């Protein structure tokens, strides 16, 4: 999957049927920050509109899946209401956004692929770590497993194909990259992405009131911590990372 | 002491299911829930539970359950042979079991999944609002996985009152044929006209890769118009995705929330259970319906589910059918019903 950071296409909202209990509102094609920001604006609008019969929504890179109860609404009526909500979506949102600052121990036993990633990129491991910590990641969407966030914004110097041979198991909290994307694995799972480091923060924790740390549309930055700090933090139960409030999207979608 | 059902012998794949984990797909959490909501609701109705109560979905063959405490009232929906302490007992009928008695649920003669429910429900703590088991991520049910021999299932009700037992004639349930109805889209435009025609006009066979997550089908190649990768988007229940092989996969309750293959169509809700009851080797055809027809079919399906309690009869009336008829009920047999 390739990311298109250059000027995004204008929005072209389409309503797509998805069976007898769902509709998809598609705003465009491909993976681009401004397009995805418009998706999350639409998702918020749908929540705020409290349309009758809407059961849940799944915002993704460029579309929102809207699950509805056919006993409580008609797809034609719901579809019209949803299309109405796409008006003016190209405008950037002034609303502030939440950005998490996630501590990560890069390399060593927690990031076995860091050396290989650096070698292939022609960089030192310190440079790879610095690039990761300078990037402003965007949670494009969650999928694959509970709390698994697809992070866009991986610096181009680090784009690399996935591992030829997927690992059978990576521990929870693994900070990984594959193709043009980065992610943090919320639970132990197999992965073909490169293992760069690990965070002591629980991305998915059922003991919390909000079990999912990252929400669609959030921003993420990584902060490098040494292994002793990782161990100290890992011993703190219920540790939450710092978060900061950042300005909303600066760029709108070209009309 | 609270009553329990001890799993004396677990079936090949039995999981606690309800109507699924609603509201968390945006966080990557699969819905899970019963793959055949009609039979799940029937098992619950027989023991007087609400339709959404947690019940056990078993695959191909059921579990053996020994009562600890009780009495306990259970019922099995599905065409399986039952015994209570080695004496034959009927499916589709509520049964009151005493302390120490063992209900053995045998293999299904038709279909792939049956359900057993217990009056009052299982005393399990919901996870994210649901007791549905999603084994791949270890959520819900009993410790996140399938029932194991030796498990003890805690019950909400210590003692099932002595009342007349109830029975449901499964031939009154809507017949399920080889036609599976779909609404085309969301990505039907990713296929050639020949691909759409192959999908709708030819028949497909259920492969051996068929589980709660999805059913992989064998049949004519469904031709893509331009590659088979799309930008990952949400996967609705019953979505028919077509990867590069051109062979369709119908995604069911345990599906992942997002995926990157184009979806030619979605099986309508009322037919998802019918599809999931088909065994490897069984054939099926897809038939496209317009939105209006899909909505009408959904409304009728809702009426069927809501009407289940009204179909129950005192168990004594079953004698009218004779025991051979009782043991030979065939849910998939195309019997004429009031609804279809």
């Amino acid at each position: 999957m390739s990311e298109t950071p250059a000027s995004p296409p204008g929005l072209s909202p389409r309503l797509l049927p998805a069976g007898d209990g769902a509709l998809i509102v598609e705003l465009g094609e491909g993976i681009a920050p401004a397009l995805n920001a418009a998706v999350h604006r639409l998702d918020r609008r749908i929540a705020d509109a409290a349309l009758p019969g809407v059961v849940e929504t799944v915002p993704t890179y460029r579309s929102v899946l809207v699950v509805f109860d056919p006993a409580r609404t008609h797809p034609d009526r719901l579809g019209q209401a949803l299309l109405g909500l796409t008006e003016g979506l190209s405008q950037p949102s002034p609303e502030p956004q939440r950005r998490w600052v996630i501590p990560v121990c890069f390399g060593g036993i927690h990031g076995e692929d860091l050396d290989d990633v650096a070698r292939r990129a022609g960089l030192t491991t310190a440079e790879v770590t610095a690039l990761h910590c300078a990037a402003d990641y965007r949670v494009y969407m969650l999928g694959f497993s509970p709390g698994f966030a697809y992070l866009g914004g991986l610096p181009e110097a680090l784009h690399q194909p996935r591992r030829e041979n997927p690992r059978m198991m990576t521990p929870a909290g693994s900070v990984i990259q594959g193709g043009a994307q980065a992610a943090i694995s919320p639970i132990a799972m197999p992965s073909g992405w490169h293992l760069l480091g690990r965070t002591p923060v629980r991305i998915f924790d059922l003991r919390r009131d909000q079990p999912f740390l990252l929400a669609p549309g959030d921003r993420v930055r990584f902060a490098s911590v040494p292994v002793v700090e990782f161990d100290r933090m890992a011993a703190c139960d219920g540790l939450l990372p710092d978060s900061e409030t950042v300005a909303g999207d600066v760029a709108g979608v070209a009309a | 002491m609270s009553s329990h059902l001890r799993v004396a012998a677990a079936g090949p794949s039995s999981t606690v299911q309800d109507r699924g984990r609603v509201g968390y797909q945006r966080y990557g959490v699969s819905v899970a829930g019963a793959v055949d909501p009609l039979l799940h609701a029937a098992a619950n109705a027989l023991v007087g539970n609400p339709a959404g109560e947690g019940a056990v979905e078993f695959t191909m063959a059921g579990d053996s359950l020994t009562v600890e405490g009780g009495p306990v009232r259970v019922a099995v929906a599905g065409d399986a042979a039952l015994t209570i302490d080695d004496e034959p007992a009927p499916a589709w009928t509520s049964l009151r079991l005493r302390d120490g008695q063992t209900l053995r649920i045998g293999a299904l003669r038709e279909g792939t999944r049956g359900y057993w429910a217990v009056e009052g429900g299982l005393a399990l703590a919901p996870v994210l609002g649901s007791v549905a088991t999603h084994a791949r991520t270890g959520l819900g049910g009993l410790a996140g996985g399938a029932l194991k021999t030796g498990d003890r299932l805690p019950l909400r009700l210590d003692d099932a009152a002595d009342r007349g037992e109830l029975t449901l004639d499964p031939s009154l349930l809507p017949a399920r044929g080889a036609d599976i109805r779909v609404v085309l889209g969301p990505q039907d435009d990713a296929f050639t006209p020949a691909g759409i025609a192959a999908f709708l006009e030819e028949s497909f066979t259920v492969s051996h890769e068929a589980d709660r997550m999805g059913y992989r089908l064998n049949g004519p190649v469904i031709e893509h118009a331009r590659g088979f990768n799309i930008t990952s988007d949400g996967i609705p229940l019953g979505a028919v995705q077509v990867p590069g092989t051109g062979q369709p996969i119908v995604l069911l309750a345990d599906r992942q929330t997002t995926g990157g293959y184009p979806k030619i169509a979605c099986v309508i809700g009322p037919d998802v259970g019918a599809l999931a009851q088909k065994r490897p080797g069984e054939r099926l055809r897809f038939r496209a319906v317009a939105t209006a027809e899909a909505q009408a079919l959904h409304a009728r399906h809702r009426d069927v589910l809501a009407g289940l309690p009204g179909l129950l009869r005192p168990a004594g009336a079953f004698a009218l059918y004779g025991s051979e008829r009782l043991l030979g009920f065939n849910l998939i047999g195309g019997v004429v019903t009031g609804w279809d």
Side-chain angles (χ1 to χ4, degrees):
Chain A
M1 249 171 283
S2 65
E3 193 161 332
T4 322
S7 64
L11 296 184
S12 46
R14 288 204 298 162
L15 203 58
L16 306 175
D20 56 344
L23 288 168
I24 289 173
V25 189
E26 186 183 277
L27 294 183
E29 266 304 325
I31 301 177
L35 173 59
N36 185 247
V39 165
H40 296 303
R41 284 199 289 277
L42 173 61
D43 187 60
R44 261 196 309 277
R45 285 188 184 182
I46 296 170
D48 292 345
L51 303 171
V54 171
V55 174
E56 62 181 307
T57 61
V58 188
T60 63
Y61 288 109
R62 40 100 195 210
S63 67
V64 181
L65 172 70
V66 181
V67 182
F68 65 88
D69 178 356
R72 295 185 50 217
T73 188
H74 190 280
D76 293 344
R77 189 164 61 237
L78 178 61
Q80 282 312 307
L82 291 170
L83 279 182
L85 293 177
T86 65
E87 279 168 35
L89 264 189
S90 322
Q91 296 307 311
S93 164
E95 285 175 43
Q97 292 180 317
R98 183 172 67 168
R99 181 161 68 193
W100 296 102
V101 183
I102 310 266
V104 179
C105 180
F106 284 94
I109 54 163
H110 294 309
E112 292 176 359
D113 294 337
L114 182 65
D115 290 345
D116 287 344
V117 167
R119 199 187 62 248
R120 271 193 300 272
L123 300 169
T124 66
T125 54
E127 286 168 333
V128 172
T129 300
L131 277 171
H132 264 287
C133 294
D136 184 16
Y137 289 102
R138 167 187 298 280
V139 177
Y140 274 118
M141 66 174 198
L142 280 77
F144 185 66
S145 69
F148 186 96
Y150 290 87
L151 302 176
L154 182 69
E156 216 160 319
L158 298 177
H159 292 195
Q160 293 181 4
R162 292 170 194 188
R163 286 169 59 87
E164 276 184 27
N165 196 9
R167 275 197 176 76
M168 288 318 287
M169 206 44 75
T170 56
S174 293
V175 174
I176 54 184
Q177 67 161 64
Q181 304 216 68
I184 311 164
S185 56
I187 56 177
M189 62 182 200
S191 173
W193 292 23
H194 304 286
L195 182 52
L196 301 172
R198 196 174 168 201
T199 177
V201 171
R202 287 169 186 270
I203 301 300
F204 172 53
D205 189 347
L206 281 169
R207 298 169 303 177
R208 282 197 301 254
D209 287 342
Q210 170 48 279
F212 310 95
L213 183 72
L214 305 174
D218 278 359
R219 311 270 277 276
V220 169
R221 282 184 61 186
F222 294 129
S224 178
V225 297
V227 70
V228 286
E229 182 67 0
F230 176 96
D231 291 341
R232 190 192 65 77
M233 293 171 111
C236 304
D237 213 23
L239 173 79
L240 281 177
D242 293 333
S243 69
E244 53 198 27
T245 301
V246 293
D249 297 298
V250 283
V253 181
Chain B
M1 190 198 93
S2 61
S3 297
H4 286 73
L5 283 171
R6 183 165 52 79
V7 181
S13 181
S14 299
T15 54
V16 177
Q17 299 296 344
D18 55 19
R19 283 192 285 204
R21 198 159 276 113
V22 175
Y24 296 95
Q25 291 188 79
R26 62 191 292 103
Y27 296 110
V29 178
S30 296
V31 177
V35 296
D36 187 350
L38 179 64
L39 260 59
H40 179 271
N44 271 322
L46 280 162
V47 292
N49 290 345
E53 186 64 57
V56 171
E57 175 181 291
F58 59 89
T59 311
M60 303 315 285
D63 313 285
S64 293
L65 307 162
T66 301
V67 175
E68 295 180 353
V72 170
R73 179 168 285 109
V74 297
V76 175
D79 198 16
L82 311 186
T83 60
I84 297 171
D85 290 345
D86 298 326
E87 291 294 317
W92 303 104
T93 300
S94 63
L95 305 164
R96 189 162 173 261
L97 306 176
R98 294 185 311 275
D99 189 18
Q101 284 192 309
T102 296
L103 170 69
R104 182 168 289 121
I105 306 168
L108 289 167
R109 283 171 291 231
E110 293 280 347
T112 60
R113 285 164 184 91
Y115 295 84
W116 62 260
V118 55
E119 184 177 319
L122 301 164
L124 297 174
V127 174
L128 302 175
S130 163
V131 296
T133 309
H134 188 256
R136 289 171 68 91
T137 52
L139 289 188
L142 207 66
L147 301 194
K148 299 183 303 295
T149 300
D151 281 343
R152 291 174 76 240
L153 297 160
L155 308 182
R156 278 214 207 93
L157 203 61
D158 282 333
D159 179 359
D162 192 4
R163 61 160 166 81
E165 302 304 330
L166 294 170
T167 190
L168 171 66
D169 177 352
S171 69
L172 297 177
L173 298 176
R176 290 167 161 183
D179 274 11
I180 299 294
R181 292 161 293 194
V182 299
V183 174
L184 284 176
Q187 283 103 25
D188 49 326
D189 59 356
F191 299 87
T192 63
I196 303 269
F199 174 64
L200 292 177
E201 288 164 23
E202 302 195 40
S203 67
F204 292 85
T205 307
V206 176
S207 80
H208 285 276
E209 290 173 85
D211 61 16
R212 286 183 40 86
M213 190 170 176
Y215 265 41
R216 201 180 276 268
L217 308 176
N218 296 323
V221 168
I222 300 169
E223 187 181 49
H224 297 88
R226 43 174 193 286
F228 52 85
N229 282 298
I230 61 166
T231 305
S232 290
D233 69 352
I235 303 180
L237 176 65
V240 185
Q241 70 173 21
V242 185
T245 58
Q247 302 289 283
I249 302 169
V250 185
L251 293 157
L252 302 178
D254 278 2
R255 71 196 180 280
Q256 288 181 345
T257 53
T258 56
Y261 293 118
K263 296 167 279 294
I264 191 169
C266 297
V267 175
I268 62 168
D271 283 2
V272 168
L275 177 113
Q277 288 289 6
K278 296 199 183 302
R279 295 185 171 190
E282 279 193 68
R283 296 182 82 74
L284 59 92
R285 297 176 81 94
F286 293 107
R287 185 162 74 75
V289 294
T291 302
E293 187 180 354
Q295 295 305 306
L297 291 166
H298 191 102
R300 203 159 58 161
H301 183 68
R302 267 199 316 275
D303 290 345
V304 171
L305 284 171
L308 281 172
L311 296 180
L312 302 178
R313 295 287 176 266
F318 236 118
L320 294 173
Y321 294 113
S323 61
E324 269 181 38
R325 173 100 171 89
L326 178 67
L327 293 171
F329 274 130
N330 176 354
L331 183 65
I332 323 279
V335 183
V336 176
T337 75
W339 290 295
D340 230 338

